[in-house]
């Protein structure tokens, strides 16, 4: 019979609000390997029982980054994008933001997304594909909010306060824009 792993919920405040809970499971049967997976709304990290707390913290961060990188490579189709928008509307706007269509487009090179409230259509730039999920979710939440409040006034920004990773996602997108403005250096030989 396998030894009972030691289970301990943990969280990393440096990752900001809106990140999933992390549960660390220590096992005396595990010698060197560390692994992680998503289980519902939490992340489970499996580590050897002998690891120090400092090693545990380091490995939790490494594994969270690895999972995020894997998830960001997964490209959502239009159907999945619409389903995601529906879930986000339910979660942040009590289901009141109801788009008639949500799709990727390739003709938006200066915007991350757009919304036509009268039609109820939301379009996201293909440039978001491959970015972290929380960034795509932020743009979806932003456009869903436009179905409820068309402009960018105080009422609109109050709606966006419901999404806990707004600041982080905006910072990420600003970084992408800034990186695009950097001069391209010739490749090193």
């Amino acid at each position: 019979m396998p030894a009972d792993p030691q289970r301990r919920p943990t969280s990393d405040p440096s990752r900001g609000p809106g990140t999933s809970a992390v549960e660390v499971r220590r096992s005396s049967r595990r010698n060197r390997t560390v692994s992680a997976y998503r289980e519902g709304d939490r992340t489970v990290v499996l580590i050897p029982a002998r690891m120090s707390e400092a090693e545990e913290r380091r490995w939790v961060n490494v594994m969270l980054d690895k999972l995020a990188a894997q998830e960001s490579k997964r490209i959502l189709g239009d159907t999945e994008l619409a389903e995601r928008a529906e879930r986000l509307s339910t979660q942040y706007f009590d289901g009141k933001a109801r788009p008639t269509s949500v799709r990727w487009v390739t003709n938006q090179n200066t915007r991350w997304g757009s919304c036509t409230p009268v039609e109820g259509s939301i379009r996201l730039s293909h440039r978001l594909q491959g970015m972290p999920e929380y960034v795509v979710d932020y743009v979806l939440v932003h456009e869903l909010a436009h179905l409820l409040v068309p402009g960018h006034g105080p009422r609109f920004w109050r709606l966006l306060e419901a999404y806990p990773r707004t600041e982080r996602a905006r910072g990420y997108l600003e970084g992408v824009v800034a990186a695009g403005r950097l001069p391209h250096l010739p490749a090193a030989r």
Side-chain angles (χ1 to χ4, degrees):
M1 184 167 196
D4 289 330
Q6 299 171 9
R7 295 178 182 204
R8 189 166 66 81
T10 185
S11 63
D12 182 356
S14 69
R15 293 197 167 264
T19 57
S20 66
V22 176
E23 179 181 322
V24 175
R25 295 181 187 169
R26 291 175 171 265
S27 171
S28 57
R29 297 186 67 183
R30 188 174 282 270
N31 291 322
R32 278 177 260 157
T33 60
V34 176
S35 62
Y37 60 91
R38 304 281 190 210
E39 188 176 81
D41 63 347
R42 67 183 166 168
T43 303
V44 177
V45 180
L46 307 171
I47 64 171
R50 63 168 176 71
M51 270 192 186
S52 70
E53 288 197 26
E55 288 175 307
E56 174 185 316
R57 282 191 302 275
R58 184 178 76 80
W59 276 106
V60 165
N61 285 329
V62 165
M63 297 312 288
L64 288 174
D65 289 345
K66 260 186 162 174
L67 282 174
Q70 289 170 354
E71 290 167 350
S72 72
K73 290 178 183 167
R74 190 171 158 265
I75 305 293
L76 302 174
D78 287 349
T79 302
E80 293 170 306
L81 198 60
E83 290 168 357
R84 186 179 212 116
E86 185 178 330
R87 280 193 307 275
L88 291 167
S89 174
T90 300
Q91 186 173 358
Y92 297 109
F93 304 124
D94 297 323
K96 293 176 186 163
R98 295 190 184 120
T100 56
S101 70
V102 181
R103 62 191 173 93
W104 296 108
V105 295
T106 57
N107 64 350
Q108 287 190 15
N109 294 315
T110 59
R111 295 177 171 201
W112 296 114
S114 62
C115 173
T116 307
V118 174
E119 295 173 9
S121 62
I122 292 175
R123 294 158 306 280
L124 296 189
S125 171
H126 71 286
R127 296 177 306 136
L128 288 166
Q129 293 175 333
M131 288 190 188
E133 284 185 10
Y134 73 93
V135 174
V136 176
D137 285 354
Y138 163 72
V139 176
L140 276 171
V141 168
H142 183 107
E143 300 309 332
L144 287 166
H146 279 309
L147 293 175
L148 304 173
V149 178
H152 286 108
R155 195 166 144 242
F156 172 83
W157 293 110
R158 275 195 302 277
L159 280 176
L160 276 188
E161 288 174 3
Y163 184 64
R165 298 183 88 181
T166 293
E167 290 286 325
R168 186 172 183 191
R170 287 176 59 111
Y172 184 98
L173 294 171
E174 287 171 9
V176 169
V177 170
R181 292 183 184 139
L182 292 174
H184 296 286
L185 300 174
R189 293 181 191 205

